[in-house]
């Protein structure tokens, strides 16, 4: 009896692996679909987290699901005529045209350091009164800036009065006259005016206070002291910026630098003042790349009548880059540019579109030269290219130019 039970258990144990393997095989066939082919999945264009094995509608927004081809290696994108019309996809057969090359560079207005004035203390003392205490204030030439109390100034005044008294005792002595002139020059260098020196001689009363005036007009950009603060000779007090002339700095890629020359005249347009284009002469080309970028900088200056522009405003610099009579050209918006390269979309059939890597040459506001990647007669998407780019990423889950070669 026990022998029969043992044989029965052994038979069941031998049967389990074959049943398990058959079940797994059936499961794999079910997942793969009929004939071993992978089932088509569908997703929502607005909610890509929704993935189903059959066509239907999105449970979130109710939109029709679209095929999800994330694992497909097919570069073609299928878009039916109805969706092409909705996306406003326009096709142009590329051909040779004449191109007037003007490269638009991104730039900005910055302060011209040559228009800045640094006000420092001419003598050690205490800031008794600060007439300008905040930045952004407009200052005129000759306007009082600060009043300084200085015991050193009082000592110099006393030396000047003593030199005058001693000169009177030695009339006509050349050395005494030089001592008086030297003492007076010290007072002038330390901020005393001619009128104040004459008043000192007249009243013979020392005045340890001296008022300093703005040597130039401008905008207060920095205030380095406060009232009651002691300063040494040469300590910074104020910084004034002049906006009558501003620098324009623009970014240039190294391969475009060959078209830039020192002394070259270019057109500058300030954003918001497109009706007032300015002519600028390039005065400096930075030979080094800007920190952390692959950009060089060029610079020039433009007048700023009435101080209507402020540093920091965006400026567009238009750099001439020559003319070409025969060049394959496309509208600028037809070329999609991202961190991986530049590409366009080619129509390959009634409902089929494919990405194509390209290289560009000269360009202006409207047209761009295609120097490599296309040939005369190719049908290129010129409107709606970004919609194709977005739909490709949505459907296939990757950049359309991955794996492409020129």
């Amino acid at each position: 009896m026990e022998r029969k039970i043992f044989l029965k258990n052994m038979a069941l144990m031998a049967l389990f692996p074959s049943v398990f393997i058959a079940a797994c095989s059936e499961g794999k066939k079910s997942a793969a679909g009929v004939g071993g082919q992978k089932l088509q999945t569908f997703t929502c264009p607005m909610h890509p987290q929704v993935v189903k094995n059959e066509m239907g509608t999105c449970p979130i927004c109710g939109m029709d699901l679209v095929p999800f081809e994330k694992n497909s290696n097919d570069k073609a994108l299928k878009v039916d005529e109805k969706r092409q019309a909705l996306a406003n996809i326009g096709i142009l057969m590329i051909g040779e045209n004449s191109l007037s090359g003007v490269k638009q560079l991104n730039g900005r207005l910055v302060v011209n350091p040559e228009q800045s004035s640094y006000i420092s203390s001419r003598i050690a003392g205490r800031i008794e009164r600060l007439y300008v205490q905040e930045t952004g204030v407009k200052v005129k030439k000759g306007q009082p800036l600060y009043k300084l109390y200085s015991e050193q100034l009082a000592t110099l005044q006393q030396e000047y009065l003593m030199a005058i008294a001693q000169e009177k005792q030695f009339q006509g002595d050349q050395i005494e006259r030089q001592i008086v002139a030297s003492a007076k020059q010290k007072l002038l260098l330390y901020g005393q005016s001619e009128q104040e020196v004459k008043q000192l001689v007249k009243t013979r009363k020392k005045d340890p206070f001296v008022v300093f005036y703005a040597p130039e007009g401008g905008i207060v950009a920095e205030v380095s002291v406060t009232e009651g603060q002691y300063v040494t000779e040469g300590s910074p007090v104020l910084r004034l910026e002049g906006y009558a002339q501003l620098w324009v700095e623009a970014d240039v890629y190294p391969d475009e630098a060959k078209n830039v020359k020192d002394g070259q005249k270019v057109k500058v347009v300030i954003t918001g003042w497109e009706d007032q284009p300015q002519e600028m002469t390039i005065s400096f080309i930075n030979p080094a790349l800007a920190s952390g970028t692959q950009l060089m900088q060029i610079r020039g200056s433009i007048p700023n009548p009435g101080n209507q522009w402020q540093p920091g405003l965006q400026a567009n610099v238009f750099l001439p880059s020559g003319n070409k009579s025969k060049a394959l050209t496309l509208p600028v918006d037809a070329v999609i540019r991202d961190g991986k390269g530049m590409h366009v979309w080619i129509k390959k059939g009634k409902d089929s579109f494919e990405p194509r890597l390209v290289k560009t040459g000269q360009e202006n506001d409207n047209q761009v030269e295609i120097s490599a990647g296309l040939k005369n007669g190719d049908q290129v998407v010129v409107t709606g290219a970004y919609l194709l780019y977005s739909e490709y990423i949505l459907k296939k889950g990757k950049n359309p130019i991955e794996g492409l070669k020129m």
Side-chain angles (χ1 to χ4, degrees):
M1 184 68 179
E2 292 180 356
R3 178 178 177 80
K4 289 182 178 180
I5 294 174
F6 175 75
L7 292 174
K8 184 178 180 179
N9 290 338
M10 292 295 293
L12 289 173
M13 291 178 65
L15 183 62
F16 280 157
S18 60
V19 174
F20 180 73
I21 293 173
C24 289
S25 300
E26 192 66 27
K28 287 181 179 178
K29 288 180 181 178
S30 177
V34 180
Q37 296 181 356
K38 190 171 182 179
L39 287 175
Q40 174 68 62
T41 56
F42 300 84
T43 186
C44 174
M46 298 299 295
H47 302 91
Q49 69 270 25
V50 176
V51 180
K52 291 188 176 182
N53 292 329
E54 67 278 343
M55 185 64 178
T57 59
C58 175
I60 300 175
C61 64
M63 289 184 64
D64 291 338
L65 301 182
V66 297
F68 184 61
E69 306 168 3
K70 184 173 183 180
N71 297 320
S72 173
N73 292 322
D74 185 12
K75 287 294 181 182
L77 181 66
K78 305 293 184 182
V79 181
D80 58 43
E81 290 186 3
K82 183 179 178 181
R83 292 172 62 202
Q84 289 181 39
L86 290 174
N88 191 31
I89 293 177
I91 309 298
L92 176 70
M93 184 178 292
I94 189 171
E96 293 182 344
N97 297 289
S98 60
L99 179 66
S100 176
V102 177
K103 184 69 176 179
Q104 180 177 325
L105 308 178
N106 294 324
R108 67 212 66 86
L109 298 182
V110 297
V111 175
N112 184 347
E114 297 174 357
Q115 302 290 313
S116 298
S117 300
Y118 293 85
I119 313 299
S120 58
S121 177
R122 295 189 184 180
I123 193 170
R126 183 181 71 243
I127 302 294
E128 191 69 19
R129 178 77 183 276
L130 194 60
Y131 297 105
V132 180
Q133 301 187 21
E134 57 187 9
T135 59
V137 176
K138 188 175 182 179
V139 171
K140 297 180 180 179
K141 183 178 180 180
Q143 179 178 332
L145 297 178
Y146 65 98
K147 185 178 183 180
L148 187 75
Y149 169 82
S150 174
E151 295 179 359
Q152 183 181 353
L153 179 62
T155 302
L156 293 175
Q157 291 175 349
Q158 182 64 35
E159 289 180 0
Y160 180 57
L161 293 175
M162 291 175 62
I164 291 176
Q166 192 166 349
E167 184 191 16
K168 289 181 180 179
Q169 294 180 2
F170 299 94
Q171 291 290 339
D173 189 287
Q174 185 69 22
I175 296 178
E176 293 297 335
R177 282 201 300 268
Q178 291 179 356
I179 293 175
V180 171
S182 177
K184 179 182 178 181
Q185 186 64 27
K186 284 183 180 180
L187 292 175
L188 295 175
L189 289 175
Y190 283 125
Q192 295 273 267
S193 64
E194 284 281 358
Q195 186 63 33
E196 289 172 329
V197 173
K198 291 179 181 178
Q199 185 68 17
L200 174 63
V201 175
K202 182 179 179 180
T203 61
R204 305 189 68 82
K205 291 180 63 177
K206 296 179 295 182
D207 185 3
F209 297 97
V210 59
V211 177
F212 291 91
Y213 301 89
E216 299 290 342
I219 306 297
V220 178
E222 183 180 351
V223 180
S224 304
V225 297
T226 58
E227 287 186 354
Q229 179 179 339
Y230 280 86
V231 294
T232 60
E233 183 179 345
S235 297
V237 178
L238 297 169
R239 180 166 61 88
L240 303 179
E241 290 180 346
Y243 293 168
Q245 195 175 56
L246 294 174
W247 275 355
V248 179
E249 290 184 347
D251 300 323
V252 180
Y253 286 100
D255 60 340
E256 299 170 345
K258 60 177 181 277
N259 297 321
V260 183
K261 296 180 180 179
D262 194 10
Q264 182 178 2
K265 295 186 181 298
V266 295
K267 185 175 77 169
V268 177
V269 175
I270 312 300
T271 303
W273 285 269
E274 285 79 5
D275 59 333
Q276 301 180 38
Q278 303 290 313
E279 186 180 69
M280 180 184 79
T281 301
I282 297 176
S283 59
F284 177 75
I285 303 173
N286 196 333
L289 299 180
S291 177
T293 70
Q294 292 296 312
L295 296 170
M296 299 173 63
Q297 285 188 342
I298 63 174
R299 186 170 68 222
S301 61
I302 59 172
N304 185 18
N307 291 351
Q308 63 175 337
W309 301 317
Q310 296 77 40
L313 283 174
Q314 182 180 354
N316 295 318
V317 178
F318 295 90
L319 181 69
S321 55
N323 298 322
K324 287 191 175 181
S325 58
K326 291 185 178 181
L328 291 178
T329 61
L330 284 175
V332 172
D333 292 339
V335 180
I336 298 177
R337 311 164 197 249
D338 61 16
K340 295 183 179 295
M342 294 179 285
H343 72 279
V344 298
W345 285 87
I346 304 295
K347 188 172 183 180
K348 301 297 291 184
K350 182 179 179 182
D351 300 330
S352 180
F353 300 88
E354 290 184 3
R356 181 80 60 83
L357 281 175
V358 295
K359 288 184 179 180
T360 61
Q362 295 181 4
E363 67 178 275
N364 54 31
D365 293 344
N366 303 313
Q367 298 289 314
V368 57
E369 177 192 8
I370 305 299
S371 59
L374 297 179
K375 63 181 184 298
N376 200 345
D378 284 339
Q379 295 189 25
V380 184
V381 176
V382 292
T383 59
Y386 278 95
L387 291 175
L388 295 177
Y389 172 76
S390 302
E391 183 158 347
Y392 188 98
I393 294 178
L394 175 65
K395 283 187 174 181
K396 300 182 182 290
K398 55 187 175 183
N399 194 302
I401 61 176
E402 285 183 7
L404 289 182
K405 294 182 180 180
M406 183 66 63

